[in-house]
């Protein structure tokens, strides 16, 4: 088994299963549901952070890399979780947030207390001669990327929230600490690691203003040192495990950079996440807008990345959903009229593609965005701030809410819907975030009479048993078709034509003659005769094998 024929399941622990009745998911709740996870046939489970954290950024502001947040459980629970998953042949993938620490972390607190050693762990700079901030960089969460470093008159860099201070990877002690963290978890049986925003660790030793009118992200993204740092981390930690699986989250990245991160001979990472395809419904590149997704742009991005990584010998992580994205079923499908068809088409589109597919919890049962009606239903500070900013900018509250509801991160963080009860089987108490449509969409129903969950299980199984899926070359088909994503996979004389309609109406596509006698390998509609000019039903997917 390699990462090429693996499928990875993502769990947001806070929302998976609550075992104590406090309304917050925990490790024990995950342990209790390992039989369900194993039934999917997945090979790894990626867990979002469950380390101690003040939770300014939902656990991505870590105050102790080598402990378990008491709200989530104990280290004994974690060890039991690893062993229980391993007994089913499932590995653990942990989220490593090594670009920044929480300002509550001991290192930052000791830096504040005046210890030079720990001040050198961070980017601490004086103001410019005119009194302005050290650079004109903007935080990805809004506002300047610099905050006062105590009462010293200096500033520290935070590319994200002010509570997340960027680590200076130029310091060999920082790189040694990063390897030490990875090795701590390796020694507890972990051989999978997801590295958060890892391509911004290569900032220059001298930090410079972005020229006026340019994108300041270019000043610190995909810097040349990232490759050297990843190779060093690989050699000092996870690279010592022949079965390690790693994925880097790449912010504002490029195909060329990601080829280098993932080429096996470079000894950096197994695969990469990029997010370009999930911005095709951003009007003028702005997240907080309403826009129908540009399907041609979506196709172009998926094709370009598949071809680019293939040509360079790199490898992609394939996904529609995660903890920071609204549910793809609402973005690219129709959860009301065509829930089954939309969900299965989206699944086939990436599970049959070149790369390693990721399934975000609830995706496999057709979970969609919650039916919230007011901004008070949301917890995430980003959504609340965006709503306030939209209203301040002149939008009426109804329109501002519609915009936020279409893009909010909490849309994917609602509790896993296990059954139709008020707490969706997630908790006996009051859930930290309310579910809304669990009466119609839940695991219990899908396991007994559903069609989406069995479809996912089949796709997961096919990747393991069908080399043309896991190993085959990728070739776009009908790239200019306005409604349909289609591609051909090739491996050792076998070819697979994959057709996916992204529209809620009928559309047509030409089928190559040599596929007309092929095997219908995957389909989400009843069988019918194949013709050279094929009429596709709403959100139909079809894969033909010859």
């Amino acid at each position: 088994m390699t990462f090429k024929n693996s499928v990875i399941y993502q769990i947001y622990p806070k929302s998976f299963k609550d075992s104590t009745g406090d309304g917050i998911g925990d490790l024990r709740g995950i342990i209790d549901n390992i039989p369900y996870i194993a039934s999917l046939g997945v090979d790894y489970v990626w867990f979002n952070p469950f380390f101690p954290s003040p939770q300014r950024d939902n656990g991505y502001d870590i105050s102790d890399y080598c402990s378990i947040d008491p709200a989530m459980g104990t280290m004994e629970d974690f060890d039991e979780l690893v062993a229980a998953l391993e007994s089913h042949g499932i590995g653990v993938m942990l989220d490593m947030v090594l670009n920044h620490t929480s300002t509550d972390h001991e290192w930052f607190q000791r830096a504040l207390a005046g210890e030079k050693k720990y001040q050198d762990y961070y980017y601490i700079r004086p103001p410019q001669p005119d009194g302005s901030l050290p650079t004109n960089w903007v935080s990805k969460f809004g506002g300047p990327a610099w905050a006062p470093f105590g009462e010293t008159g200096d500033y520290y860099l935070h590319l994200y929230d002010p509570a997340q201070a960027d680590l200076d990877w130029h310091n060999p002690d920082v790189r040694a600490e990063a390897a030490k963290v990875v090795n701590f978890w390796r020694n507890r049986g972990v051989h999978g690691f997801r590295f958060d925003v890892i391509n911004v660790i290569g900032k220059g030793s001298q930090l410079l203003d972005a020229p006026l009118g340019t994108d300041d992200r270019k000043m610190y993204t995909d810097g040349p040192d990232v490759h050297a740092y990843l190779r060093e981390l690989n050699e000092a930690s996870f690279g010592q495990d022949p079965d390690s699986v790693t994925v880097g989250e790449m912010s504002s990245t490029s195909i060329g950079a990601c080829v280098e991160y993932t080429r096996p001979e470079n000894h950096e990472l197994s695969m990469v996440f990029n997010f370009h395809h999930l911005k095709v419904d951003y009007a003028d590149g702005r997240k907080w807008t309403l826009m129908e997704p540009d399907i041609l742009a979506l196709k172009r991005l998926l094709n370009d990345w598949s071809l680019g990584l293939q040509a360079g010998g790199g490898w992609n992580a394939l996904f529609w959903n995660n903890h920071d994205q609204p549910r793809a079923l609402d973005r690219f499908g129709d959860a009301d009229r065509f829930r089954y068809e939309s969900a299965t088409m989206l699944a086939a589109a990436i599970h049959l593609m070149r790369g390693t597919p990721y399934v975000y919890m609830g995706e496999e049962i057709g979970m969609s965005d919650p039916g919230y009606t007011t901004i008070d239903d949301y917890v995430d500070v980003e959504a609340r701030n965006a709503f306030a900013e939209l209203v301040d900018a002149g939008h009426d509250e109804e329109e501002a809410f519609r915009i936020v509801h279409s893009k909010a991160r909490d849309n994917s963080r609602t509790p896993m819907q296990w059954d139709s009860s008020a707490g969706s089987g997630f908790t006996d108490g009051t859930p930290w975030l309310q579910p809304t449509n669990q009466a119609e969409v839940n695991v219990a129903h899908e396991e007994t009479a559903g069609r989406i969950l069995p479809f996912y299980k089949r796709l997961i199984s096919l990747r393991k048993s069908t080399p043309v899926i896991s190993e085959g070359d990728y070739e776009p088909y009908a790239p200019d078709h306005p409604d349909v994503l289609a591609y051909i996979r090739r491996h050792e004389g076998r070819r697979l034509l994959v057709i996916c309609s992204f529209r809620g109406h009928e559309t047509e596509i030409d089928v190559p003659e040599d596929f007309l006698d092929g095997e219908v390998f995957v389909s989400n509609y009843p069988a019918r005769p194949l013709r050279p000019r094929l009429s596709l039903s709403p959100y139909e997917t079809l894969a033909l094998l010859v």
Side-chain angles (χ1 to χ4, degrees), residues 275-433:
F275 298 90
H276 298 289
H277 65 297
L278 295 179
K279 297 179 181 179
V280 296
D281 55 357
Y282 286 20
D284 300 320
R286 293 176 294 119
K287 175 176 180 176
W288 300 109
T289 53
L290 286 174
M291 174 184 162
E292 287 296 313
D294 184 337
I295 299 304
L296 279 173
L298 176 70
K299 290 174 51 174
R300 185 181 68 252
L301 286 161
L302 292 173
N303 285 332
D304 286 352
W305 276 82
S306 292
L307 292 172
L309 286 172
Q310 175 174 277
W315 198 255
N316 209 9
L318 307 168
F319 71 107
W320 291 118
N321 299 280
N322 68 23
H323 59 290
D324 280 336
Q325 299 290 333
R327 294 278 182 178
L329 192 54
D330 291 274
R331 297 177 82 172
F332 303 112
D334 186 333
D336 295 325
R337 297 185 303 153
F338 300 106
R339 182 181 298 272
Y340 160 74
E341 294 83 0
S342 300
T344 51
M345 180 279 290
L346 289 169
I350 64 164
H351 279 256
L352 301 177
M353 200 171 270
R354 182 183 185 275
T356 297
Y358 285 66
V359 178
Y360 179 70
M361 62 178 222
E363 175 185 338
E364 75 278 11
I365 61 168
M367 281 181 64
S368 52
D369 291 345
Y372 290 164
T373 56
T374 168
I375 193 62
D376 294 332
D377 292 329
Y378 284 103
V379 172
D380 184 30
V381 64
E382 184 194 40
R384 288 173 170 266
N385 288 347
F387 177 80
E389 290 171 5
L390 288 165
V391 170
D392 288 345
H395 296 274
D396 62 55
E397 291 196 359
E398 183 178 344
E399 182 182 23
F401 180 76
R402 280 205 321 275
I403 294 170
V404 169
H405 185 262
S406 74
K407 301 279 171 56
R409 300 191 296 183
D410 275 351
N411 288 352
S412 64
R413 297 173 180 177
T414 54
M416 184 71 173
Q417 293 171 189
W418 296 100
D419 61 35
S420 59
S421 64
S424 73
F426 163 73
T427 183
D428 294 330
T430 302
W432 75 277
L433 200 59

Side-chain angles (χ1 to χ4, degrees), residues 58 136 157 187 307 354 444:
N58 293 282
N136 59 359
L157 178 68
N187 291 333
L307 292 172
R354 182 183 185 275

Side-chain angles (χ1 to χ4, degrees), residues 210-221:
L212 289 177
T214 65
D215 185 347
D216 66 327
R217 291 174 296 184
K218 295 179 180 177
M219 305 300 292
Y220 55 76
T221 302

Side-chain angles (χ1 to χ4, degrees), residues 161-350:
D161 189 85
Q164 295 167 297
D166 280 57
L167 288 164
D168 185 350
W169 276 65
H170 291 281
N171 184 340
D173 289 343
V174 167
R175 304 199 299 275
E177 294 278 14
K180 191 173 170 184
V181 169
V182 174
N183 287 330
F184 174 87
W185 295 107
R186 285 179 59 231
N187 291 333
R188 301 199 90 93
V190 177
H191 300 295
F193 297 96
R194 181 260 191 191
F195 294 100
D196 185 66
V197 296
I198 197 67
N199 63 327
V200 300
I201 62 171
K203 297 173 278 282
S205 53
Q206 284 190 306
L207 306 184
L208 305 174
D209 276 343
L212 289 177
T214 65
D215 185 347
D216 66 327
R217 291 174 296 184
K218 295 179 180 177
M219 305 300 292
Y220 55 76
T221 302
D222 288 329
D225 290 331
V226 179
H227 298 288
Y229 295 157
L230 284 174
R231 285 193 293 272
E232 181 180 324
L233 182 63
N234 181 313
E235 183 178 0
S237 60
F238 59 83
Q240 298 171 26
D241 299 323
D243 60 344
S244 72
V245 175
T246 55
V247 57
E249 181 195 30
M250 300 298 166
S251 172
S252 305
T253 191
S254 68
I255 293 172
C258 288
V259 165
E260 295 304 310
Y261 294 135
T262 60
R263 290 177 65 200
E265 55 267 39
N266 288 358
H267 301 287
E268 296 183 30
L269 298 170
S270 306
M271 66 191 92
V272 287
F273 285 120
N274 85 86
F275 298 90
H276 298 289
H277 65 297
L278 295 179
K279 297 179 181 179
V280 296
D281 55 357
Y282 286 20
D284 300 320
R286 293 176 294 119
K287 175 176 180 176
W288 300 109
T289 53
L290 286 174
M291 174 184 162
E292 287 296 313
D294 184 337
I295 299 304
L296 279 173
L298 176 70
K299 290 174 51 174
R300 185 181 68 252
L301 286 161
L302 292 173
N303 285 332
D304 286 352
W305 276 82
S306 292
L307 292 172
L309 286 172
Q310 175 174 277
W315 198 255
N316 209 9
L318 307 168
F319 71 107
W320 291 118
N321 299 280
N322 68 23
H323 59 290
D324 280 336
Q325 299 290 333
R327 294 278 182 178
L329 192 54
D330 291 274
R331 297 177 82 172
F332 303 112
D334 186 333
D336 295 325
R337 297 185 303 153
F338 300 106
R339 182 181 298 272
Y340 160 74
E341 294 83 0
S342 300
T344 51
M345 180 279 290
L346 289 169
I350 64 164

